[in-house]
Amino acid sequence: MEHGCGIEELHRYLSVQNRRPIHLIPMPFPERHLFGLWLKMDDFDVIAYEKAASQSHKEHIIAHELAHIAFQHRGSVNFDRGDAGKLFADVEPGVVQSMLMRSRYSDDEEQEAETMASLILARATKRWLEPAWGVPEEAAEVVARIESGVGKPDQG
């Protein structure tokens, strides 16, 4: 990959390299400690990121999640079935747990992704332009489940 590329080039490169689309999905995360997550589905990847974050923070969140993809991190936290069921009530708990296992990482993986995100952004020659958002058809069901699971800020 060319020296000094930006988020868009890395996003495109990883999609081509892994032969699977990576969908970037902005959404509200009511949990203030969660700003983004990567879900590896059967045929594509989803990176959900905090919709209300500043532009530079969105870039960092996406770079961090792209780093997890680039390093092929697998995650290391175990969830019990009750936790999985609370997040996605209408989805088979085993499927939720499998997805979440890929979105929780060891401290070493988090540090590696965070360092890579910082390096990516330090060398980026152009800013990421957030596209007008439309949910890709193949990701619509999983996006609806994420929104249902994490809730929406205006829900009480």
Side-chain angles (χ1 to χ4, degrees), residues 4-152:
C5 75
I7 297 289
E8 288 179 41
E9 290 84 3
L10 180 60
H11 174 223
R12 213 171 12 259
Y13 175 81
L14 288 172
S15 292
V16 170
Q17 195 69 10
N18 295 334
R19 295 187 178 113
R20 46 190 295 123
I22 301 170
H23 300 297
L24 304 178
I25 311 292
M27 63 178 40
F29 283 88
E31 294 286 329
R32 288 295 120 209
H33 66 280
L34 179 64
F35 297 104
L37 62 100
W38 162 44
L39 297 174
K40 183 175 182 178
M41 308 307 292
D42 289 337
D43 300 319
F44 59 92
D45 294 297
V46 171
I47 292 177
Y49 60 93
E50 175 55 60
K51 182 179 187 172
S54 69
Q55 184 64 22
S56 61
H57 192 191
K58 287 176 185 177
E59 289 178 342
H60 189 87
I61 295 164
I62 293 167
H64 178 99
E65 300 304 333
L66 288 172
H68 281 305
I69 293 172
F71 287 122
Q72 299 177 4
H73 287 159
R74 294 184 180 268
S76 62
V77 173
N78 290 319
F79 288 86
D80 67 34
R81 289 199 176 273
D83 289 341
K86 286 182 227 169
L87 184 58
F88 297 105
D90 61 339
V91 182
E92 175 68 34
V95 172
V96 174
Q97 186 167 2
S98 173
M99 288 184 347
L100 291 175
M101 289 286 289
R102 299 180 193 136
S103 67
R104 295 288 180 110
Y105 307 97
S106 69
D107 289 341
D108 288 343
E109 289 172 326
E110 281 300 322
Q111 187 172 7
E112 188 174 49
E114 195 64 18
T115 300
M116 180 57 75
S118 296
L119 290 171
I120 290 165
L121 294 173
R123 299 181 76 174
T125 55
K126 54 185 162 183
R127 300 295 303 247
W128 174 69
L129 299 174
E130 187 170 7
W133 187 60
V135 178
E137 188 175 323
E138 68 180 340
E141 185 178 340
V142 74
V143 169
R145 289 178 183 164
I146 293 169
E147 286 177 336
S148 172
V150 299
K152 296 190 176 150

